[in-house]
Amino acid sequence: MTGNEHGGRLGEEFFTPGSSSFTEFLAAHRPELLSTRRVLPDGVRAAPDQVPHGTTVLALSFRDGVLIAGDRRATMGNLIAQRDLEKVHPADDHTAVAFAGTVGLALDMVKLYQVELAHFEKIEGVGMTLDGKARRLAGMIRQNLGQAMQGLAVVPLLVGYDPARTEGERGRIFSFDIAGGLYEKAGFHAEGSGSPYARGALKKLFHKGLDRREAALTALQALYDAADDDSATGGPDINRRIFPIVSVITEDGFERLPETETAVLSREMVEQRRARPDGPNATP
């Protein structure tokens, strides 16, 4: 799409009025660039031990917005493919996406989604609403359905700060199924192989009105529980200094917690687990 095929000039398609969707623009003019459209040959299914998969991601609302976090491990079958994978990414200033599932496709989808939101804002002159962003991501997941049915599923988790909501309710969480089904979650949610254990911890520890530090510790406790029972989820690696990624979105926008902060909180949590291996009791 550089214009080289037109002697260095942009092609006519760039000047023809059309959809504000960059994905639809690619589908119409360069569909081969959409990785979500490339289905494997009939009868072929991806082997789980040949493709890296990301595991556990989670989100929870807190007093000032919403927090999203993920462990760092990617696996291929029973092998650790990567120890420091980044599964949490900003989509724009007030939206973030994390993923579980096929790593290569997920990273492509995240990049395309970032461009999708920026392209819409440039074409329309205004940013997309948070509900619109959720529906747009659902449509992109639906385009990947053919590959998902062949074992290459991507399961994102979307969060955003919605100034249209009342104070204390502005952090919103959306989950999806592999067919693009869209579901808004209240309070907290988790996706990936360790998600049942993470959701159990979140159900125990979550309450409305958490401050940022409390929310971050709650997320780390949930990821620790996921790693404790799911071999595909990685806990904080103190020796290698690899810690979960924790990010927050507030009125001020997206912020990834500095590694120094997540390191301090992770060490504090691990020290607490020495006295209480099963984690803290439920919040009264």
Side-chain angles (χ1 to χ4, degrees):
M1 303 297 286
T2 62
N4 290 335
E5 60 271 37
H6 299 284
R9 295 173 297 174
L10 294 176
E12 182 180 345
E13 63 270 17
F14 287 92
F15 303 98
T16 303
S19 170
S20 58
S21 168
F22 184 73
T23 305
E24 291 179 7
F25 177 79
L26 278 185
H29 301 288
R30 294 291 296 274
E32 71 276 8
L33 296 179
L34 287 172
S35 60
T36 55
R37 297 285 181 92
R38 300 173 193 153
V39 181
L40 297 174
D42 290 342
V44 175
R45 184 174 177 85
D49 60 348
Q50 297 297 315
V51 182
H53 280 73
T55 48
T56 309
V57 295
L58 59 83
L60 65 150
S61 59
F62 69 105
R63 186 173 59 202
D64 298 322
V66 63
L67 177 148
I68 187 166
D71 81 310
R72 307 293 297 276
R73 180 173 292 178
T75 59
M76 290 195 303
N78 64 342
L79 300 178
I80 297 176
Q82 189 172 348
R83 299 180 187 275
D84 59 352
L85 178 66
E86 298 198 7
K87 304 174 187 175
V88 179
H89 302 267
D92 62 16
D93 290 342
H94 288 88
T95 318
V97 62
F99 66 84
T102 307
V103 172
L105 288 178
L107 291 173
D108 279 353
M109 186 179 292
V110 168
K111 293 174 184 176
L112 182 59
Y113 185 59
Q114 291 167 336
V115 175
E116 181 81 6
L117 299 187
H119 183 264
F120 178 93
E121 186 169 355
K122 289 179 180 178
I123 296 297
E124 298 293 337
V126 295
M128 200 179 297
T129 65
L130 186 53
D131 287 298
K133 294 173 186 177
R135 288 192 295 269
R136 191 61 59 92
L137 183 54
M140 294 173 65
I141 297 167
R142 196 170 297 117
Q143 292 175 356
N144 189 55
L145 180 58
Q147 290 175 313
M149 299 302 291
Q150 293 179 310
L152 299 174
V154 176
V155 185
L157 184 60
L158 179 71
V159 301
Y161 182 86
D162 191 347
R165 293 295 182 96
T166 59
E167 188 172 353
E169 303 290 335
R170 292 173 180 166
R172 300 175 65 189
I173 303 167
F174 300 90
S175 72
F176 308 84
D177 60 36
I178 62 170
L182 171 62
Y183 314 93
E184 184 165 2
K185 301 296 183 177
F188 60 86
H189 190 63
E191 292 287 1
S193 62
S195 61
Y197 315 107
R199 283 198 295 267
L202 290 170
K203 186 174 183 179
K204 177 177 70 172
L205 300 175
F206 174 82
H207 63 86
K208 288 188 175 182
L210 292 168
D211 62 27
R212 177 175 126 153
R213 189 177 192 278
E214 291 171 331
L217 273 172
T218 298
L220 291 172
Q221 293 280 9
L223 289 172
Y224 191 100
D225 277 353
D228 199 34
D229 286 297
D230 173 45
S231 62
T233 303
D237 192 333
I238 304 296
N239 293 332
R240 293 187 176 90
R241 297 181 177 85
I242 299 173
F243 304 99
I245 293 177
V246 181
S247 298
V248 296
I249 305 176
T250 65
E251 183 179 10
D252 296 327
F254 175 91
E255 178 191 0
R256 174 170 166 170
L257 270 61
E259 187 172 296
T260 52
E261 184 175 353
T262 55
V264 168
L265 293 174
S266 295
R267 289 189 173 97
E268 177 182 328
M269 178 200 61
V270 171
E271 189 60 34
Q272 292 172 355
R273 291 278 180 148
R274 295 182 190 276
R276 187 182 288 275
D278 293 330
N281 291 327
T283 304

